[in-house]
Amino acid sequence: MIEYIKGELTELTPALATVEAAGVGYGLNISLNTFSAIQGKKEVKLYVHEAIREDAYVLFGFVNKKEREMFELLITVNGVGANTARMMLSGMSISELCNAISTGNARLIQGIKGIGKMTAQRIIVDLRDKIVALGIADEIPVGGQMIAPVNNQVKDEAVSALTMLGFAPAPTQKVVLQILQEQPDLPVEQVVKLALKQIK
C-alpha cells in the first residue's frame, strides 16, 4: 500500500499531478483543492488513495490526510464513485462540504455536477455522524455558531489512550471532540477521565 508520494512535481494540470520519486513518475488524479495548494511548488508530498480495478490501477493524490479521509468516506456512499468524489472535493472545500452534510443541506450538495437529489440525501444520512467521529468536521457550525478549533494533539492523545483501554475509536473520537469543544484548555488526563464517564 502506498501511503504518500514525495518528490518533484514535473507536470501539473487541474486534474492530474505527475510526481517523480526515485526515478519513477507517478500520475495522480487530484481535486481542484489540491491543485490550488500545490500550484507553483517544485517539491510536493501527496497522500495517496489506490483504486485497483480489473481494467485499471489508478492513483488519487491529496494535499493532506483530511482531504483523503473525506474522499474515502464519500466513496463508501452507494452511488458515489471515485470521480464523483473528486468532483465534490473540487467544487467545495472540506469545511463547506462538512457544513452541508452536518446541516443536511442537500440542495448545496446537489449543486455539484453528477449529484442528484437521492445521492445528496444518501451522502447526508450516511456521513453525518462519521465526519464528526473522524474529526474531519473540526470547525463546522453547530446551531449556526462556529465551533472553535480543538487542540488536535490533546484530542489525538486522548483518543489513543482510550483506544488502548479497549474503546472503539469512532464513538471515542466523538466524545473527546465534544469535551474539547466545551472545555478547550483541558489537559489530556482530564479529557480521558471525563470521556470514561461518557462513553457508552
Coordinates of all heavy atoms in Angstrom, one line a residue, residues 31-91:
S31 N -7.9 16.8 -7.0 CA -9.0 17.7 -6.9 C -8.5 19.1 -7.2 O -7.3 19.4 -7.1 CB -9.7 17.6 -5.6 OG -8.9 18.3 -4.6
L32 N -9.4 20.0 -7.4 CA -9.0 21.4 -7.6 C -8.5 22.0 -6.3 O -7.6 22.9 -6.3 CB -10.2 22.3 -8.0 CG -10.6 22.2 -9.5 CD1 -11.9 23.0 -9.8 CD2 -9.5 22.6 -10.4
N33 N -8.9 21.5 -5.1 CA -8.4 22.0 -3.9 C -6.9 21.7 -3.8 O -6.1 22.5 -3.4 CB -9.1 21.3 -2.7 CG -10.5 21.9 -2.4 OD1 -10.7 23.0 -2.7 ND2 -11.4 21.1 -1.9
T34 N -6.5 20.4 -4.2 CA -5.1 20.0 -4.1 C -4.3 20.8 -5.2 O -3.2 21.3 -4.9 CB -5.0 18.5 -4.3 OG1 -5.5 17.8 -3.2 CG2 -3.5 18.1 -4.5
F35 N -4.9 21.0 -6.4 CA -4.3 21.7 -7.4 C -3.9 23.1 -7.0 O -2.7 23.6 -7.1 CB -5.2 21.8 -8.7 CG -4.7 22.7 -9.7 CD1 -3.7 22.4 -10.6 CD2 -5.3 24.0 -9.9 CE1 -3.2 23.2 -11.6 CE2 -4.9 24.8 -10.9 CZ -3.8 24.5 -11.8
S36 N -4.8 23.8 -6.3 CA -4.6 25.2 -5.8 C -3.5 25.2 -4.8 O -2.6 26.1 -4.7 CB -5.8 25.8 -5.2 OG -6.9 25.8 -6.1
A37 N -3.5 24.1 -3.9 CA -2.5 24.1 -2.8 C -1.1 23.8 -3.3 O -0.1 24.3 -2.7 CB -2.9 23.0 -1.8
I38 N -0.9 23.1 -4.4 CA 0.5 22.7 -4.8 C 1.0 23.5 -6.0 O 2.1 23.3 -6.4 CB 0.6 21.2 -5.1 CG1 -0.3 20.7 -6.3 CG2 0.3 20.3 -3.9 CD1 -0.1 19.3 -6.7
Q39 N 0.1 24.3 -6.6 CA 0.5 25.1 -7.8 C 1.7 25.9 -7.5 O 1.8 26.6 -6.4 CB -0.7 26.0 -8.1 CG -0.8 26.3 -9.6 CD -2.0 27.1 -10.0 OE1 -2.8 27.5 -9.1 NE2 -2.2 27.4 -11.2
G40 N 2.7 25.9 -8.4 CA 3.9 26.7 -8.2 C 5.0 26.1 -7.3 O 6.0 26.6 -7.1
K41 N 4.7 24.9 -6.8 CA 5.7 24.2 -5.9 C 6.6 23.3 -6.7 O 6.1 22.7 -7.7 CB 5.0 23.4 -4.8 CG 4.3 24.3 -3.8 CD 3.9 23.5 -2.6 CE 3.3 24.4 -1.5 NZ 2.7 23.7 -0.4
K42 N 7.8 23.1 -6.3 CA 8.7 22.2 -7.0 C 8.7 20.8 -6.4 O 8.6 19.8 -7.1 CB 10.2 22.7 -7.0 CG 10.4 23.9 -7.9 CD 11.9 24.0 -8.2 CE 12.2 25.0 -9.3 NZ 12.4 26.4 -8.8
E43 N 8.7 20.8 -5.0 CA 8.6 19.6 -4.3 C 7.3 19.4 -3.6 O 6.8 20.4 -3.1 CB 9.7 19.5 -3.2 CG 11.1 19.5 -3.7 CD 11.6 18.1 -4.0 OE1 11.3 17.2 -3.2 OE2 12.3 17.9 -5.0
V44 N 6.7 18.2 -3.7 CA 5.4 18.1 -3.1 C 5.3 16.7 -2.4 O 6.1 15.8 -2.7 CB 4.2 18.1 -4.1 CG1 4.0 19.5 -4.7 CG2 4.4 17.0 -5.2
K45 N 4.4 16.6 -1.5 CA 4.1 15.4 -0.8 C 2.6 15.2 -0.9 O 1.8 16.0 -0.3 CB 4.5 15.4 0.7 CG 4.2 14.2 1.5 CD 4.7 14.4 3.0 CE 4.3 13.2 3.8 NZ 4.8 13.4 5.2
L46 N 2.2 14.1 -1.6 CA 0.7 13.9 -1.8 C 0.3 12.6 -1.1 O 1.0 11.5 -1.3 CB 0.4 13.9 -3.2 CG 0.5 15.2 -4.0 CD1 0.1 15.0 -5.5 CD2 -0.4 16.3 -3.4
Y47 N -0.7 12.6 -0.3 CA -1.2 11.4 0.3 C -2.0 10.6 -0.8 O -2.7 11.2 -1.6 CB -2.1 11.7 1.5 CG -1.2 12.2 2.6 CD1 -1.0 13.6 2.8 CD2 -0.6 11.3 3.5 CE1 -0.2 14.1 3.8 CE2 0.2 11.8 4.5 CZ 0.4 13.2 4.7 OH 1.2 13.6 5.7
V48 N -1.9 9.3 -0.8 CA -2.4 8.5 -1.9 C -3.6 7.6 -1.5 O -3.6 7.0 -0.4 CB -1.2 7.6 -2.5 CG1 -1.7 6.7 -3.5 CG2 -0.1 8.5 -3.0
H49 N -4.5 7.5 -2.4 CA -5.6 6.5 -2.4 C -5.4 5.7 -3.6 O -5.4 6.2 -4.8 CB -7.0 7.1 -2.3 CG -8.1 6.1 -2.5 ND1 -8.5 5.3 -1.4 CD2 -8.7 5.6 -3.6 CE1 -9.4 4.5 -1.8 NE2 -9.6 4.7 -3.1
E50 N -5.3 4.4 -3.5 CA -5.1 3.5 -4.7 C -6.5 2.9 -5.0 O -7.1 2.3 -4.2 CB -4.1 2.4 -4.3 CG -2.7 2.9 -4.0 CD -1.9 1.7 -3.4 OE1 -1.3 1.0 -4.2 OE2 -1.8 1.6 -2.2
A51 N -6.8 3.0 -6.3 CA -8.1 2.4 -6.8 C -7.7 1.3 -7.7 O -7.2 1.6 -8.9 CB -9.0 3.4 -7.4
I52 N -7.8 0.1 -7.3 CA -7.4 -1.1 -8.1 C -8.6 -1.8 -8.7 O -9.4 -2.3 -7.9 CB -6.5 -2.1 -7.3 CG1 -5.3 -1.3 -6.8 CG2 -6.1 -3.2 -8.2 CD1 -4.5 -2.0 -5.7
R53 N -8.7 -1.6 -10.0 CA -9.9 -2.3 -10.7 C -9.4 -3.3 -11.6 O -8.2 -3.4 -11.9 CB -10.7 -1.2 -11.4 CG -11.2 -0.1 -10.5 CD -12.3 0.7 -11.2 NE -11.8 1.5 -12.3 CZ -11.4 2.8 -12.2 NH1 -11.6 3.4 -11.0 NH2 -10.9 3.5 -13.2
E54 N -10.3 -4.1 -12.2 CA -9.9 -5.2 -13.2 C -9.1 -4.6 -14.4 O -8.2 -5.2 -14.9 CB -11.1 -5.9 -13.7 CG -11.6 -7.0 -12.6 CD -12.8 -7.7 -13.2 OE1 -13.0 -7.8 -14.4 OE2 -13.6 -8.2 -12.3
D55 N -9.6 -3.4 -14.8 CA -9.1 -2.8 -16.0 C -8.1 -1.7 -15.8 O -7.6 -1.1 -16.8 CB -10.2 -2.4 -16.9 CG -11.1 -1.3 -16.3 OD1 -11.0 -1.2 -15.0 OD2 -11.8 -0.6 -17.0
A56 N -7.9 -1.3 -14.6 CA -7.0 -0.1 -14.3 C -6.5 -0.1 -12.9 O -7.1 -0.7 -12.0 CB -7.9 1.2 -14.6
Y57 N -5.3 0.6 -12.8 CA -4.7 0.8 -11.5 C -4.6 2.4 -11.4 O -3.7 2.9 -12.0 CB -3.4 0.1 -11.4 CG -2.6 0.4 -10.1 CD1 -3.2 0.2 -8.9 CD2 -1.3 0.8 -10.2 CE1 -2.5 0.4 -7.7 CE2 -0.6 1.1 -9.0 CZ -1.1 0.9 -7.8 OH -0.4 1.1 -6.6
V58 N -5.4 3.0 -10.6 CA -5.5 4.5 -10.6 C -5.1 5.0 -9.2 O -5.5 4.5 -8.2 CB -6.9 5.0 -10.9 CG1 -7.0 6.5 -11.1 CG2 -7.4 4.3 -12.2
L59 N -4.2 6.1 -9.3 CA -3.8 6.7 -8.0 C -4.5 8.1 -7.9 O -4.6 8.8 -8.9 CB -2.3 6.9 -8.0 CG -1.4 5.7 -8.1 CD1 0.1 6.1 -8.2 CD2 -1.6 4.8 -6.9
F60 N -5.0 8.3 -6.7 CA -5.5 9.7 -6.4 C -4.6 10.3 -5.4 O -4.2 9.7 -4.4 CB -7.0 9.5 -5.8 CG -8.0 9.1 -6.8 CD1 -8.2 7.7 -7.1 CD2 -8.7 10.0 -7.6 CE1 -9.1 7.3 -8.1 CE2 -9.6 9.6 -8.6 CZ -9.8 8.2 -8.8
G61 N -4.3 11.6 -5.6 CA -3.4 12.3 -4.7 C -4.1 13.4 -3.9 O -5.0 14.1 -4.5
F62 N -3.7 13.6 -2.7 CA -4.4 14.6 -1.8 C -3.4 15.4 -1.0 O -2.4 14.8 -0.5 CB -5.4 13.9 -0.8 CG -6.4 13.0 -1.5 CD1 -6.1 11.7 -1.7 CD2 -7.5 13.6 -2.1 CE1 -7.0 10.9 -2.4 CE2 -8.4 12.8 -2.7 CZ -8.2 11.4 -2.9
V63 N -3.6 16.7 -0.9 CA -2.6 17.6 -0.3 C -2.5 17.3 1.2 O -1.5 17.6 1.8 CB -3.0 19.1 -0.5 CG1 -4.2 19.5 0.2 CG2 -1.8 20.0 -0.2
N64 N -3.5 16.7 1.9 CA -3.4 16.4 3.3 C -4.3 15.2 3.6 O -5.1 14.7 2.8 CB -3.8 17.6 4.2 CG -5.2 18.1 3.9 OD1 -6.1 17.4 3.6 ND2 -5.3 19.5 3.9
K65 N -4.1 14.6 4.8 CA -4.9 13.4 5.2 C -6.4 13.7 5.3 O -7.2 12.8 5.0 CB -4.3 12.9 6.5 CG -3.0 12.2 6.4 CD -2.6 11.6 7.7 CE -1.3 10.8 7.6 NZ -0.9 10.2 8.9
K66 N -6.7 14.9 5.7 CA -8.2 15.2 5.9 C -8.9 15.1 4.5 O -10.0 14.6 4.5 CB -8.3 16.6 6.4 CG -9.0 16.5 7.7 CD -9.1 17.9 8.5 CE -9.2 17.6 9.9 NZ -9.5 18.7 10.8
E67 N -8.3 15.6 3.5 CA -8.9 15.5 2.2 C -9.1 14.0 1.7 O -10.1 13.6 1.2 CB -8.2 16.3 1.1 CG -9.0 16.5 -0.2 CD -8.3 17.1 -1.3 OE1 -7.0 17.1 -1.3 OE2 -8.9 17.6 -2.2
R68 N -8.0 13.3 2.0 CA -8.1 11.8 1.6 C -9.2 11.1 2.4 O -9.9 10.3 1.9 CB -6.7 11.2 1.9 CG -6.8 9.7 1.5 CD -5.4 9.0 1.6 NE -4.9 9.0 3.0 CZ -3.7 8.4 3.3 NH1 -3.0 7.9 2.4 NH2 -3.4 8.4 4.6
E69 N -9.2 11.4 3.7 CA -10.3 10.8 4.6 C -11.7 11.1 4.1 O -12.6 10.3 4.0 CB -10.2 11.3 6.0 CG -9.1 10.6 6.8 CD -8.9 11.2 8.2 OE1 -9.8 12.0 8.7 OE2 -8.0 10.8 8.9
M70 N -11.9 12.4 3.7 CA -13.2 12.8 3.1 C -13.5 12.1 1.9 O -14.6 11.6 1.7 CB -13.1 14.3 2.9 CG -14.5 14.9 2.7 SD -15.5 15.1 4.2 CE -17.1 14.6 3.7
F71 N -12.5 11.9 1.0 CA -12.7 11.2 -0.3 C -13.0 9.8 0.0 O -14.0 9.2 -0.6 CB -11.3 11.3 -1.1 CG -11.3 10.4 -2.3 CD1 -11.8 11.0 -3.5 CD2 -10.8 9.1 -2.3 CE1 -11.7 10.2 -4.7 CE2 -10.7 8.4 -3.5 CZ -11.2 8.9 -4.7
E72 N -12.3 9.1 0.9 CA -12.6 7.7 1.2 C -13.9 7.5 1.9 O -14.6 6.5 1.7 CB -11.4 7.1 2.1 CG -10.2 7.0 1.3 CD -8.9 6.6 2.1 OE1 -9.0 6.6 3.3 OE2 -7.9 6.1 1.4
L73 N -14.4 8.5 2.6 CA -15.8 8.4 3.2 C -16.8 8.5 2.1 O -17.8 7.8 2.0 CB -16.0 9.5 4.2 CG -15.5 9.3 5.6 CD1 -15.9 10.5 6.5 CD2 -16.1 8.1 6.2
L74 N -16.6 9.5 1.2 CA -17.5 9.7 0.1 C -17.7 8.5 -0.8 O -18.8 8.2 -1.2 CB -17.1 10.9 -0.8 CG -17.3 12.3 -0.2 CD1 -16.5 13.4 -1.0 CD2 -18.7 12.7 0.0
I75 N -16.6 7.8 -1.1 CA -16.8 6.6 -2.0 C -17.4 5.4 -1.3 O -17.7 4.4 -1.9 CB -15.4 6.2 -2.7 CG1 -14.3 5.9 -1.6 CG2 -15.0 7.4 -3.6 CD1 -13.0 5.4 -2.3
T76 N -17.6 5.5 0.0 CA -18.3 4.4 0.7 C -19.9 4.6 0.5 O -20.6 3.6 0.7 CB -18.1 4.4 2.2 OG1 -18.6 5.6 2.8 CG2 -16.6 4.3 2.6
V77 N -20.3 5.8 0.0 CA -21.7 6.0 -0.2 C -22.1 5.4 -1.5 O -21.5 5.6 -2.5 CB -22.0 7.5 -0.2 CG1 -23.5 7.8 -0.5 CG2 -21.6 8.2 1.1
N78 N -23.2 4.6 -1.4 CA -23.8 4.0 -2.6 C -24.1 5.0 -3.7 O -24.8 6.0 -3.4 CB -25.0 3.2 -2.2 CG -25.4 2.2 -3.3 OD1 -24.8 2.0 -4.3 ND2 -26.6 1.6 -3.1
G79 N -23.5 4.8 -4.9 CA -23.8 5.8 -6.0 C -22.8 6.9 -6.1 O -22.8 7.7 -7.0
V80 N -21.8 6.9 -5.2 CA -20.7 7.9 -5.3 C -19.4 7.1 -5.7 O -18.8 6.4 -4.9 CB -20.5 8.7 -4.0 CG1 -19.3 9.7 -4.2 CG2 -21.7 9.4 -3.7
G81 N -18.9 7.3 -6.9 CA -17.7 6.7 -7.4 C -16.5 7.7 -7.1 O -16.7 8.8 -6.6
A82 N -15.3 7.2 -7.5 CA -14.1 8.0 -7.2 C -14.1 9.3 -8.0 O -13.7 10.3 -7.4 CB -12.9 7.2 -7.6
N83 N -14.6 9.3 -9.2 CA -14.6 10.6 -10.0 C -15.6 11.6 -9.4 O -15.4 12.8 -9.4 CB -14.8 10.3 -11.5 CG -13.5 9.8 -12.1 OD1 -12.4 10.2 -11.8 ND2 -13.7 8.9 -13.1
T84 N -16.8 11.0 -9.0 CA -17.8 11.9 -8.4 C -17.2 12.5 -7.1 O -17.4 13.7 -6.8 CB -19.1 11.1 -8.1 OG1 -19.5 10.5 -9.3 CG2 -20.2 12.0 -7.6
A85 N -16.6 11.7 -6.3 CA -16.0 12.2 -5.0 C -15.0 13.3 -5.3 O -14.9 14.3 -4.6 CB -15.3 11.0 -4.2
R86 N -14.1 13.1 -6.3 CA -13.1 14.1 -6.7 C -13.8 15.4 -7.2 O -13.4 16.5 -6.9 CB -12.2 13.5 -7.8 CG -11.1 14.5 -8.2 CD -10.1 13.9 -9.0 NE -10.6 13.5 -10.3 CZ -9.9 13.5 -11.4 NH1 -8.6 13.8 -11.4 NH2 -10.4 13.0 -12.5
M87 N -14.9 15.2 -7.9 CA -15.7 16.4 -8.4 C -16.2 17.2 -7.2 O -16.2 18.4 -7.2 CB -16.8 15.9 -9.2 CG -17.6 17.0 -9.9 SD -16.8 17.5 -11.5 CE -17.1 16.1 -12.5
M88 N -16.7 16.4 -6.2 CA -17.2 17.1 -5.0 C -16.1 17.9 -4.2 O -16.3 19.0 -3.8 CB -17.8 16.1 -4.0 CG -19.1 15.4 -4.6 SD -19.8 14.3 -3.4 CE -20.6 15.4 -2.2
L89 N -14.9 17.3 -4.1 CA -13.8 17.9 -3.5 C -13.2 19.1 -4.3 O -12.5 19.9 -3.8 CB -12.7 16.9 -3.1 CG -13.1 15.9 -2.0 CD1 -12.1 14.8 -1.9 CD2 -13.2 16.6 -0.6
S90 N -13.6 19.1 -5.6 CA -13.2 20.2 -6.5 C -14.2 21.4 -6.4 O -13.8 22.5 -6.5 CB -13.1 19.7 -7.9 OG -12.0 18.8 -8.1
G91 N -15.4 21.0 -6.2 CA -16.5 22.0 -6.2 C -16.6 22.7 -4.8 O -17.2 23.8 -4.8

